[in-house]
Amino acid sequence: MMTVEEALQILKEKGYKYTGKREEIIRICAEEKRYLTAKEIMERIKELYPGLSFDTVYRNISTFVELGILEQTELDGEGRFRLACSTDGHHHHHLICTECGRTSSLSACPMSLLSALPEDFQVTGHKFEVYGTCKECMSS
Amino acid sequence: MMTVEEALQILKEKGYKYTGKREEIIRICAEEKRYLTAKEIMERIKELYPGLSFDTVYRNISTFVELGILEQTELDGEGRFRLACSTDGHHHHHLICTECGRTSSLSACPMSLLSALPEDFQVTGHKFEVYGTCKECMSS
DNA sequence: ATGTAAATAGGATTAATTACGATTTTCATA
DNA sequence: TATGAAAATCGTAATTAATCCTATTTACAT
């Protein structure tokens, strides 16, 4: 998983300014192998920055996703975010707990297994996610 | 793809009442091999039922998804719906045009190719979608 | 130290979706 | 065919996630 330092480095390289709030958003995401909602991130960041505007959280999250610092998915009509898995670009997918957002990596990517893609579509992306309940959520 | 008659039959079997509006929602979805937004369905149904409440559309769509009459996905934070592909339960996935929702079937399901699923997750579902631009949208 | 462009605060706004009481309709049964 | 109860719909209010906007503040290159 990407480290906080690596993420801050990417920001710097791209000409974004350093702010404690940005670091804290990244730090919160780095603390867990889980997808978090914007709301969850907001709640946690308020411990350190009580007056934080949610516009700031949403704007930064969206920047981070563009820069590849965060990965995004969607569950129950709500965006969820986690620190990008790897800096080396090894492409893979996730098993996601639908209760708590906890994830587990899957090494296979189904795209390599598709023999024939239709000719009349220009492929731009794909999504493969396995959903389930994690051990912790099962026992509670 | 499921027919309008088959869909109405499912409703009847489950004890839901017949209404012209329900049939029309299904008919609209049956007309195209595409994912439609609730708004698109609403616009089209107003030709026949101008005073239709969107509560009715949303409520019925959601019932249809529960009953397996419609398939649901999400694009750009908006739910999209299409008539379920098959009545015989042959499981497959789609290539989806992100511009217009048009789809193309993929025969492979990646789940059969996953050799080792983690033990600490109880799998409840999965999603595999390939995104792209269809021929029609490319040339416009 | 300072000027400027970027970032943030605080709140208004948008858009999709759900909720809900009042009314209407379906359909089983008389 | 009439009728009554449950289900469906209407019309609108409420909710929720997310974006937009302007004034103010901050980071940081010089």
Side-chain angles (χ1 to χ4, degrees), chain B:
Chain B
M1 200 159 81
M2 188 181 289
T3 65
V4 177
E5 288 69 33
E6 284 167 333
L8 291 174
Q9 185 57 30
I10 292 173
L11 281 174
K12 195 168 192 176
E13 279 166 12
K14 302 281 180 172
Y16 290 86
K17 292 183 175 167
Y18 170 87
T19 72
K21 286 155 191 174
R22 279 185 169 154
E23 174 166 351
E24 187 59 13
I25 292 173
I26 294 166
R27 191 175 298 284
I28 286 166
C29 292
E31 272 166 17
E32 310 197 41
K33 264 175 73 177
R34 287 180 47 191
Y35 276 99
L36 299 171
T37 62
K39 202 185 295 176
E40 284 175 312
I41 293 172
M42 232 149 55
E43 277 167 17
R44 297 195 194 188
I45 207 171
K46 287 203 169 162
E47 292 171 18
L48 204 55
Y49 296 100
L52 191 77
S53 148
F54 56 81
D55 178 76
T56 300
V57 174
Y58 276 107
R59 191 171 18 74
N60 279 317
I61 285 175
S62 144
T63 301
F64 295 164
V65 170
E66 272 174 39
L67 296 179
I69 292 171
L70 293 185
E71 292 177 17
Q72 173 169 24
T73 190
E74 182 271 335
L75 231 56
D76 299 321
E78 201 172 353
R80 292 179 185 238
F81 310 88
R82 57 162 291 157
L83 203 61
C85 276
S86 53
T87 51
D88 57 79
H90 173 60
H91 175 69
H92 66 276
H93 295 277
H94 285 125
L95 210 160
I96 304 171
C97 177
T98 49
E99 306 261 333
C100 71
R102 206 176 265 112
T103 62
S104 170
S105 289
L106 299 169
S107 55
C109 171
M111 291 309 278
S112 61
L113 302 160
L114 284 184
S115 46
L117 275 168
E119 308 250 328
D120 51 350
F121 269 85
Q122 176 157 14
V123 173
T124 56
H126 66 282
K127 179 175 207 170
F128 176 45
E129 288 177 347
V130 180
Y131 305 108
T133 313
C134 74
K135 219 184 329 191
E136 281 80 359
C137 289
M138 263 189 287
S139 61
S140 62

Side-chain angles (χ1 to χ4, degrees), chain A residues 108-139:
Chain A
C109 172
M111 290 308 277
S112 61
L113 302 159
L114 283 185
S115 46
L117 275 167
E119 307 250 328
D120 50 351
F121 269 87
Q122 175 157 16
V123 173
T124 56
H126 67 282
K127 180 175 203 169
F128 175 45
E129 289 177 346
V130 181
Y131 306 108
T133 314
C134 74
K135 217 180 337 190
E136 282 79 359
C137 289
M138 263 188 289
S139 60

Side-chain angles (χ1 to χ4, degrees), chain A residues 4 12 22 25-27 41 51 57-58 63 72-73 75 97 99 101-102 109 116 128 131-132:
Chain A
V4 177
K12 196 168 192 175
R22 281 186 169 154
I25 291 172
I26 294 166
R27 192 176 298 286
I41 293 172
V57 175
Y58 275 107
T63 301
Q72 173 169 22
T73 189
L75 230 58
C97 177
E99 306 262 331
R102 207 176 265 112
C109 172
F128 175 45
Y131 306 108

Side-chain angles (χ1 to χ4, degrees), chain A residues 12-139:
Chain A
K12 196 168 192 175
E13 279 167 12
K14 302 281 181 173
Y16 289 87
K17 292 183 175 168
Y18 170 87
T19 71
K21 286 155 191 173
R22 281 186 169 154
E23 174 166 350
E24 187 59 14
I25 291 172
I26 294 166
R27 192 176 298 286
I28 286 166
C29 292
E31 272 166 16
E32 311 194 42
K33 264 177 71 177
R34 286 179 47 190
Y35 276 100
L36 299 171
T37 61
K39 204 186 291 177
E40 284 175 313
I41 293 172
M42 229 148 58
E43 276 168 18
R44 297 193 195 189
I45 207 171
K46 288 206 169 158
E47 293 171 19
L48 203 55
Y49 297 100
L52 191 76
S53 147
F54 55 82
D55 178 76
T56 299
V57 175
Y58 275 107
R59 190 170 19 73
N60 279 316
I61 286 175
S62 144
T63 301
F64 296 165
V65 170
E66 272 173 38
L67 297 178
I69 292 169
L70 293 185
E71 292 176 18
Q72 173 169 22
T73 189
E74 182 274 331
L75 230 58
D76 300 321
E78 203 173 352
R80 293 181 184 235
F81 310 88
R82 57 162 291 159
L83 203 61
C85 275
S86 53
T87 51
D88 57 78
H90 173 58
H91 175 72
H92 65 277
H93 295 276
H94 285 126
L95 209 158
I96 304 172
C97 177
T98 49
E99 306 262 331
C100 71
R102 207 176 265 112
T103 61
S104 170
S105 289
L106 299 170
S107 56
C109 172
M111 290 308 277
S112 61
L113 302 159
L114 283 185
S115 46
L117 275 167
E119 307 250 328
D120 50 351
F121 269 87
Q122 175 157 16
V123 173
T124 56
H126 67 282
K127 180 175 203 169
F128 175 45
E129 289 177 346
V130 181
Y131 306 108
T133 314
C134 74
K135 217 180 337 190
E136 282 79 359
C137 289
M138 263 188 289
S139 60

